[in-house]
């Protein structure tokens, strides 16, 4: 019934074809958590992240086991057809007893749509939906804290690099720190979240189902997209120590930064419908070029 509701919601905003293609892709791994009503699902969008998957899965489930959450949590890897051995590796991890499976998207591409595909699949059985990157910059040991916040009734939870006592890896490049600070300033008119650029977050199924008709699968920062369009008054923030990429290559480039600016423009138009689009455009451009 929950799965039918998600499909109806996506079709109502013209995305029925996206949902149909997603559920028809190849999915492997144990179904035990889904059959027994998994309390939480961790969605990991990937592309060419095979070398990070084993340490990620092992560390996440070790952390979950320490809090007795391992049997009630599953992990879904949503892979954009990497063809790098990720699928075989996830199958092996599943055979070793980890509650992990993979959805390989043959035609769809993009991080945000991958997260939504995973959340749509998980919402049929899970009440807590969590997203994290595969590169181990998001500490797996903090996953139980995000799940616990959702289980305690939080509508939205965010892993933040700017909480009290947080340490950022000293080897994280200075230009990346500057870009992160600038991106936070650009989003200040949309949210009071301390780290709106974070991709380490969670949302309750109730809020997700309510929000998904308005959500764009092409939005650059899916956590910011979901938070703004869910109209949540506040969020629980979990401080995290932010590390450097373990393996693989960063996807950040000039095109990605421009996509973020465009996404902000769309979100400002959504939140402040009474403002002329041209005013929003020039305000965002002014901050981007003259303030940052």
């Amino acid at each position: 019934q929950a799965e039918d509701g998600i499909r109806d919601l996506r079709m109502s905003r013209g995305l029925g074809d996206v949902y149909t293609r997603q559920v028809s892709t190849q999915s492997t791994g144990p179904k035990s958590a889904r059959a027994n009503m998994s309390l939480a699902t961790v969605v990991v969008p990937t592309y060419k992240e095979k070398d990070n998957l084993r340490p990620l899965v092992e560390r996440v489930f070790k952390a979950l086991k320490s809090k007795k959450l391992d049997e009630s949590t599953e992990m879904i890897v949503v892979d954009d057809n990497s063809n790098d051995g990720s699928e075989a590796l996830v199958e092996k991890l599943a055979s070793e007893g980890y509650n992990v499976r993979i959805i390989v998207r043959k035609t769809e591409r993009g991080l945000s749509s991958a997260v939504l595909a995973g959340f749509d699949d998980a919402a049929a059985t899970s009440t807590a939906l969590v997203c994290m990157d595969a590169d181990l910059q998001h500490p797996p040991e903090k996953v139980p804290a995000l799940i616990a916040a959702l289980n305690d009734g939080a509508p939205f939870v965010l892993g933040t690099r700017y909480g009290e006592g947080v340490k950022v890896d000293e080897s994280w490049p200075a230009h990346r720190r500057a870009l992160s600070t600038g991106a936070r300033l650009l989003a200040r008119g949309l949210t009071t979240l301390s780290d709106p650029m974070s991709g380490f977050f969670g949302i309750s199924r109730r809020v997700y189902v309510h929000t998904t008709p308005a959500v764009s699968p092409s939005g650059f920062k899916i956590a910011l997209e979901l938070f703004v369009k869910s109209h949540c008054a506040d969020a629980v923030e979990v401080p995290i120590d932010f590390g450097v990429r373990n393996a693989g290559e960063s996807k950040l480039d000039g095109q990605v930064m421009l996509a973020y600016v465009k996404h902000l423009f769309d979100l400002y138009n959504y939140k402040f419908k009474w403002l002329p689009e041209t005013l929003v455009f020039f305000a965002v451009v002014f901050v981007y070029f003259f303030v940052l």
Side-chain angles (χ1 to χ4, degrees):
Q1 184 177 2
E3 186 173 347
D4 290 340
I6 290 287
R7 180 169 58 250
D8 291 344
L9 286 168
R10 292 183 70 88
M11 290 181 68
S12 72
R13 59 188 172 107
L15 291 174
D17 57 331
V18 174
Y19 183 86
T20 300
R21 286 197 295 272
Q22 185 271 315
V23 296
S24 66
T25 55
Q26 190 168 358
S27 177
T28 58
K31 298 287 187 176
S32 58
R34 295 178 62 75
N36 295 324
M37 187 58 183
S38 173
L39 295 180
T41 295
V42 180
V43 171
V44 183
T46 63
Y47 182 70
K48 305 291 185 182
E49 296 283 3
K50 177 196 170 187
D51 292 341
N52 291 319
L53 287 177
R54 177 171 285 279
L56 174 72
V57 171
E58 290 178 345
R59 286 175 60 184
V60 166
F61 279 95
K62 180 180 179 181
L64 290 169
K65 188 173 183 178
S66 71
K67 302 297 183 181
K68 298 182 180 180
L69 292 170
D70 54 312
E71 293 185 2
S72 60
T73 305
E74 70 167 347
M75 179 183 289
I76 302 177
V77 176
V78 183
D79 184 78
D80 281 0
N81 205 24
S82 296
N83 287 318
D84 64 347
S86 292
E87 186 176 355
L89 177 58
V90 171
E91 290 178 348
K92 188 173 190 307
L93 288 165
S95 71
E96 294 173 11
Y98 293 104
N99 195 11
V100 59
R101 58 193 179 90
I102 187 168
I103 295 172
V104 180
R105 305 199 305 166
K106 301 296 186 181
T107 57
E108 302 303 321
R109 293 291 183 273
L111 186 146
S112 291
S113 64
V115 174
L116 293 175
F119 280 2
D120 286 352
D121 189 283
T125 56
S126 294
T127 55
L129 309 174
V130 172
C131 173
M132 70 183 304
D133 291 344
D135 58 14
L136 298 175
Q137 289 185 299
H138 299 152
E141 291 71 26
K142 289 291 186 176
V143 169
L146 268 67
I147 293 175
L150 294 170
N151 288 345
D152 288 341
F156 197 95
V157 59
L158 185 78
T160 177
R161 297 166 287 184
Y162 301 99
E164 185 177 351
V166 166
K167 297 179 181 179
V168 176
D169 196 296
E170 293 181 358
S171 60
W172 200 40
H175 74 279
R176 290 293 301 273
R177 299 185 191 217
L179 285 172
S180 178
T181 299
R184 291 169 63 207
L185 289 174
L186 282 170
R188 183 53 59 200
L190 293 169
T191 176
T192 58
L193 293 174
S194 66
D195 194 1
M197 293 289 287
S198 178
F200 191 25
F201 71 97
I203 188 170
S204 73
R205 179 177 62 185
R206 175 183 58 80
V207 174
Y208 178 70
V209 171
H210 173 76
T211 305
T212 192
V215 172
S216 169
S218 60
F220 175 65
K221 283 298 177 181
I222 190 60
L224 182 61
E225 171 88 9
L226 285 167
F227 184 79
V228 169
K229 293 186 176 179
S230 69
H231 302 285
C232 286
D234 203 356
V236 172
E237 295 197 344
V238 176
I240 63 171
D241 291 334
F242 191 68
V244 295
R245 170 175 279 275
N246 184 60
E249 297 181 357
S250 172
K251 280 72 172 180
L252 181 65
D253 56 23
Q255 187 175 0
V256 168
M257 289 185 283
L258 287 176
Y260 176 61
V261 173
K262 181 183 182 301
H263 189 200
L264 285 178
F265 173 69
D266 293 338
L267 287 177
Y268 273 106
N269 277 328
Y270 174 84
K271 186 170 183 178
F272 303 104
K273 297 180 176 66
W274 47 272
L275 282 176
E277 288 191 5
T278 52
L279 180 60
V280 174
F281 173 77
F282 283 116
V284 173
V285 170
F286 177 82
V287 174
Y288 182 73
F289 287 104
F290 297 102
V291 177
L292 303 184

